[in-house]
């Protein structure tokens, strides 16, 4: 660092602006190099984590490499009689075919899949 002290109050606007640009360039370069160093350290740590977990890990990852919890399979509870391949488990937003049918006066229980058929399907899949 320079041994002379800068008297910022007495400097002209042009000199202050050039000093500002110089400081900005130096800061940008240092931030970039620090970021690269941290990314290298993170990569080394991630390699260690994958070695500990093993490469045969069957856990799902989202876009940010966070481990997602496994959810149990949910079987359908409601079926569209017009198109039997359209089913709904009862979770989340109601499908359009069900909303339209309810608005037309039908009840949601009219579309319920019988429990004995559902249990039979579960036994076949298991």
């Amino acid at each position: 660092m320079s041994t002379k002290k800068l008297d910022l109050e007495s400097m002209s606007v042009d000199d202050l602006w050039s000093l500002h640009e110089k400081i900005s360039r130096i800061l940008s370069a240092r931030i970039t190099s620090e970021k690269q160093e941290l990314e290298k350290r993170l990569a080394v740590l991630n390699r260690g984590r994958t070695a500990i977990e093993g490469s045969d890990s069957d856990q799902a990852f989202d876009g940010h490499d966070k481990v997602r919890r496994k959810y149990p399979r949910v079987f359908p509870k409601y079926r569209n009689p017009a198109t039997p391949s359209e089913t709904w488990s009862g979770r989340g937003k109601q499908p359009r075919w069900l909303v339209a049918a309810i608005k037309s006066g039908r009840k949601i229980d009219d579309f319920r899949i019988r429990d004995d058929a559902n249990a039979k399907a579960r036994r076949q899949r298991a």
Side-chain angles (χ1 to χ4, degrees), residues 51-94:
I52 291 170
E53 290 176 354
S55 60
D56 59 338
S57 177
D58 59 346
Q59 293 176 332
F61 291 93
D62 66 4
H64 302 290
D65 291 338
K66 293 181 183 175
V67 178
R68 292 191 61 201
R69 180 172 66 124
K70 285 188 175 182
Y71 290 96
R73 183 167 182 200
V74 180
F75 294 98
K77 295 179 184 171
Y78 304 96
R79 183 179 311 276
N80 184 358
T83 311
S85 63
E86 293 179 343
T87 59
W88 182 53
S89 65
R91 293 186 180 183
K93 190 175 177 182
Q94 289 181 341

Side-chain angles (χ1 to χ4, degrees), residues 2-50:
S2 175
T3 57
K4 69 176 187 174
K5 291 187 176 181
L6 295 176
D7 188 16
L8 299 177
E9 294 291 329
S10 64
M11 291 177 70
S12 69
V13 173
D14 291 334
D15 291 338
L16 285 171
W17 187 253
S18 64
L19 181 63
H20 164 71
E21 289 176 340
K22 190 175 184 181
I23 291 171
S24 295
R25 280 194 304 273
I26 293 170
L27 277 174
S28 177
R30 286 190 183 175
I31 288 171
T32 303
S33 66
E34 184 71 22
K35 183 179 176 185
Q36 289 174 347
E37 182 64 33
L38 289 172
E39 286 174 349
K40 286 179 187 175
R41 290 174 57 192
L42 183 61
V44 169
L45 291 173
N46 280 338
R47 273 188 249 128
R49 186 187 80 197
T50 55

Side-chain angles (χ1 to χ4, degrees), residues 73-80 86-91 97-98 108-115 118 122 125:
R73 183 167 182 200
V74 180
F75 294 98
K77 295 179 184 171
Y78 304 96
R79 183 179 311 276
N80 184 358
E86 293 179 343
T87 59
W88 182 53
S89 65
R91 293 186 180 183
W97 59 265
L98 186 59
I108 195 167
D109 289 332
D110 298 341
F111 303 98
R112 184 173 282 281
I113 298 173
R114 292 191 344 230
D115 286 336
N118 198 9
R122 286 184 193 169
R125 290 183 189 134

